[in-house]
Amino acid sequence: VSLFLGHYGNWEWISSMPLHLDKSAVAGQIYHKLSNANVNRVILEMRSRMGATNIEMHQTARFITKLVAENKECIIGFIADQSPRSKDAHYYLEFLNHDTPILLGPEKITRHYDFDAWFVKPQRVKRGYYEVEFIPMSTAPASLPEYRLSQIYYSNLESMIKDSPELYLWTHKRFRIARCIVQPTNK
């Protein structure tokens, strides 16, 4: 199973997935290695204390291929709303009034293995408390046209952000290479 999340609400809860799954299932979360080795170590310890497996971003395909070869059940969380590097910006879509490049890895991996794809929608109940709704995006993503899974994900994410924009992490570099879309005005 692939879970598609955004930098919305408390996305760090994904490290608690093993508490809710059968012990034989592998619960993994993709992470980007930090340049400061000490901070990286502390973050990884915090994220794995409840049994989640931290998968370094550049090792994702290799790690998942191994799980599939071993026929292990797995649930992998992708925080998929990050911006690709300029040289990796191959596909743009409209997101929050910007022509926005997207990371294609989560869709490619999900489609390649035909994992069920779910959108994760957290809702803040009160300070420090969230409820999470799992919204099915596709039970057969390999049959979808290319980029369709990402389009569904970004549509859900944009709708969620518009409902409660204060829960979105606006400080990350999501739009650093985006192109603004000028909306025509009717006069």
Side-chain angles (χ1 to χ4, degrees), residues 3-173:
L3 299 180
F4 285 71
L5 299 89
H7 284 94
Y8 184 89
N10 180 359
W11 58 88
E12 292 292 345
W13 70 269
I14 198 147
S15 64
S16 70
M17 282 189 307
L19 300 175
H20 310 284
L21 299 173
D22 185 270
K23 299 295 180 207
S24 64
V26 175
Q29 56 196 359
I30 312 305
Y31 78 95
H32 181 69
K33 187 175 182 179
L34 301 173
S35 58
N36 182 311
N38 290 326
V39 173
N40 190 65
R41 181 184 47 77
V42 169
I43 295 293
L44 290 178
E45 285 174 6
M46 285 183 348
R47 290 180 174 167
S48 62
R49 72 179 191 263
M50 291 180 249
T53 301
N54 295 296
I55 307 162
E56 205 275 318
M57 187 172 62
H58 299 293
Q59 299 298 320
T60 305
R62 183 174 289 120
F63 183 85
I64 293 173
T65 299
K66 184 176 181 236
L67 291 176
V68 170
E70 294 171 356
N71 203 29
K72 290 190 176 178
E73 292 181 342
C74 61
I75 184 165
I76 307 294
F78 295 93
I79 299 181
D81 65 338
Q82 299 183 43
S83 184
R85 296 178 298 186
S86 297
K87 69 178 187 161
D88 297 325
H90 302 298
Y91 180 73
Y92 286 71
L93 55 75
E94 187 175 337
F95 176 63
L96 296 172
N97 297 321
H98 288 79
D99 195 22
T100 308
I102 64 169
L103 284 176
L104 297 174
E107 175 174 334
K108 285 181 180 179
I109 289 169
T110 302
R111 289 186 58 198
H112 178 78
Y113 293 109
D114 209 21
F115 287 171
D116 288 358
W118 294 79
F119 180 76
V120 179
K121 182 180 180 182
Q123 295 173 329
R124 185 176 171 186
V125 177
K126 61 182 180 179
R127 185 176 178 168
Y129 292 84
Y130 292 85
E131 289 181 352
V132 178
E133 180 181 0
F134 293 89
I135 301 169
M137 295 192 328
S138 178
T139 56
S143 67
L144 295 175
E146 190 173 21
Y147 310 124
R148 183 65 187 134
L149 192 60
S150 293
Q151 292 165 352
I152 295 167
Y153 164 70
Y154 274 94
S155 176
N156 282 323
L157 181 63
E158 183 171 17
S159 175
M160 185 173 68
I161 292 168
K162 286 179 177 178
D163 286 344
S164 295
E166 71 278 7
L167 296 179
Y168 191 57
L169 180 65
W170 292 99
T171 58
H172 74 318
K173 300 176 183 177

